Amino acid sequence: MSMPTQGAGLDSGYHPQDADEVRGSSIGELMRQVTSDLSTLMRQEVELAKAEIRQEGKKAGKTAGFFGGAGFGGYMVALFLSLALWAGLSNVMDAGWAALIVAVIWGAIAAVLYAKAKKSAEHIRGLKQTNDSVQRIPDALKPHPQEVTR
């Protein structure tokens, strides 16, 4: 899969104008060129975001499938080990108390796993390339209110 880059539009007929060409152009022509360049830039950023989302989504889907299978296998192991522990404790105490002890153990395990999952969720990467690319948009396109005079 090829990912669009910010420079792709530059190879397709774009050429920067020198000072003489700019002086010879009307305001309308210059505004048309700026509008066209902004439109191209925005299309490229959207395409980059789409490509990045597709690429990361495929990886995440595959990984989720593996985790799902491993989780189900782990669940079955935990279920049968819990039943065995319950049955073993039932030999030395009432079955109700044995079940309560097993449930408390699983409650503690669930709390630890929840804390780890919450901490891990803070490290999700997001659209790093798109974010980096958007931040490189020329300063001329960003407002500078302190420089505005009336």
Side-chain angles (χ1 to χ4, degrees):
M1 169 190 306
S2 66
M3 296 208 16
T5 60
Q6 194 169 9
L10 298 177
D11 296 336
S12 59
Y14 176 82
H15 68 286
Q17 294 182 337
D18 60 21
D20 290 334
E21 288 176 324
V22 171
R23 281 188 204 104
S25 299
S26 69
I27 295 288
E29 178 63 23
L30 291 174
M31 290 304 293
R32 185 195 64 74
Q33 289 174 355
V34 167
T35 303
S36 174
D37 290 347
L38 281 173
S39 176
T40 299
L41 177 62
M42 294 311 292
R43 277 194 302 272
Q44 289 172 346
E45 291 302 329
V46 167
E47 287 303 315
L48 175 62
K50 285 180 186 178
E52 196 172 4
I53 287 170
R54 277 192 299 271
Q55 188 177 40
E56 292 297 315
K58 286 179 183 178
K59 287 188 228 175
K62 187 175 182 180
T63 301
F66 289 141
F67 276 131
F72 180 73
Y75 169 76
M76 295 305 290
V77 168
L79 174 67
F80 286 106
L81 285 176
S82 296
L83 290 173
L85 178 61
W86 180 15
L89 288 173
S90 294
N91 289 331
V92 293
M93 66 178 68
D94 184 51
W97 287 109
L100 182 61
I101 290 170
V102 172
V104 167
I105 290 170
W106 276 112
I109 291 171
V112 169
L113 290 174
Y114 174 78
K116 286 186 175 241
K118 188 174 180 182
K119 186 174 182 178
S120 178
E122 294 171 359
H123 299 290
I124 294 177
R125 180 180 111 117
L127 303 178
K128 185 169 177 28
Q129 285 180 307
T130 301
N131 189 31
D132 291 345
S133 177
V134 167
Q135 288 179 0
R136 289 192 307 255
I137 292 175
D139 284 336
L141 301 178
K142 297 178 184 173
H144 296 283
Q146 68 275 14
E147 296 177 7
V148 175
T149 58
R150 294 183 189 245

